[in-house]
Amino acid sequence: MFGLRPVMEAIEAGKTIDKIFVQGGLQGEIYSELKKLLKKYNIRPNTVPVEKLNRFTRKNHQGVVAFISEIPFYKIEDLLPQIFEEGKIPFLLILDRLTDVRNFGAIARTAECVGIDAIVIPDKGAAPINSDAIKTSAGALYNVKICKENNLAHVVDFLQQSGVTVFAATEKAEKMIYDAHFSEPCAIVMGNEETGISKEVMHHADEKIKLPITGKTQSLNVSVACGAILYEAVRQKMVGEL
């Protein structure tokens, strides 16, 4: 979707905005109205050069391009109390700036299969939740709640204050996933495909965990690694119920 008025109408109609890109230096009365609307609905725009907008569409975008999400977004501050009230042990997944749509879709598929209560992603720097992501997830994205948040470090702090242990997956950890305790309320953080978990989020995490790697290849695809960790968590939860 593009154009000032169409984007504003979509926001006012309650459409879920996945990402919105605004041309740097854009001015004018209508743009001022858009800025007020974005602030009202707590939507953070990505300021980009006009060349990037032109790659999205060659039509008259008026300096604004928005992508409408096919799924709703939630806030972890609202969702976590509901999980506790339902008598469930929170089982959460945080994806720190994953950019590959297919990785995201594959992870969402596994997460839904193992019963993840919610996937938390940043509102900037994350893979778009588009038709490719939904297709790769085999439709799982329709069935797992997605929380889009401004600051993942603040999310980690909130979870810890709520009694949730946060595990950061990194090959630099000393502790193996088999030595971690996933049976209590927990959140698992997976990082960016190239740079891993951001320093700020890593610093706030309770524990750092890793998978054993004995071959010459020193790293796993993030969706494969995530699947292995999630299923170890499921194994521990099932053993705890016996």
Side-chain angles (χ1 to χ4, degrees), residues 37-175:
L37 204 58
L38 294 175
K39 185 175 181 180
K40 177 181 177 181
Y41 289 93
N42 196 30
I43 300 171
R44 298 177 66 193
N46 296 275
T47 303
V48 297
V50 67
E51 289 80 10
K52 181 160 187 174
L53 298 179
N54 292 338
R55 289 199 292 270
F56 293 137
T57 178
R58 294 188 178 184
K59 296 182 179 180
N60 183 21
H61 50 65
Q62 298 179 303
V64 180
V65 175
F67 292 88
I68 307 299
S69 175
E70 295 186 45
I71 65 170
F73 294 124
Y74 300 83
K75 288 297 180 182
I76 194 63
E77 290 87 351
D78 300 326
L79 203 56
L80 187 62
Q82 295 177 22
I83 296 170
F84 277 117
E85 287 169 8
E86 292 170 3
K88 300 173 67 177
I89 298 175
F91 186 21
L92 309 169
L93 179 62
I94 301 173
L95 302 180
D96 186 1
R97 301 167 299 118
L98 261 71
T99 58
D100 187 281
V101 170
R102 293 182 180 179
N103 276 338
F104 177 75
I107 287 173
R109 182 175 184 174
T110 303
E112 201 279 330
C113 286
V114 303
I116 283 288
D117 294 302
I119 298 175
V120 183
I121 61 173
D123 65 352
K124 288 188 176 182
I129 301 178
N130 54 23
S131 58
D132 286 339
I134 292 172
K135 182 179 180 181
T136 307
S137 78
L141 281 167
Y142 290 127
N143 300 313
V144 63
K145 291 181 171 62
I146 305 295
C147 298
K148 183 175 276 194
E149 304 289 346
N150 293 342
N151 189 308
L152 293 186
H154 290 172
V155 169
V156 170
D157 287 342
F158 168 75
L159 293 177
Q160 291 167 331
Q161 292 167 13
S162 303
V164 177
T165 301
V166 178
F167 297 94
T170 170
E171 68 275 8
K172 297 178 182 178
E174 294 184 3
K175 177 179 286 189

Side-chain angles (χ1 to χ4, degrees), residues 4 11 35 66 72 97 116 154-155 169 190 200 209:
L4 287 162
I11 295 171
K35 284 201 299 183
R97 301 167 299 118
I116 283 288
H154 290 172
V155 169
M190 304 300 299
E200 187 178 18
I209 55 173

Side-chain angles (χ1 to χ4, degrees), residues 12 49 90 156 161 168 177 204 208 225:
E12 291 180 317
V156 170
Q161 292 167 13
I177 64 169
H204 284 250
K208 300 175 181 62

Side-chain angles (χ1 to χ4, degrees), residues 177-188:
I177 64 169
Y178 314 112
D179 298 320
H181 298 290
F182 298 116
S183 56
E184 298 301 319
C186 70
I188 297 167

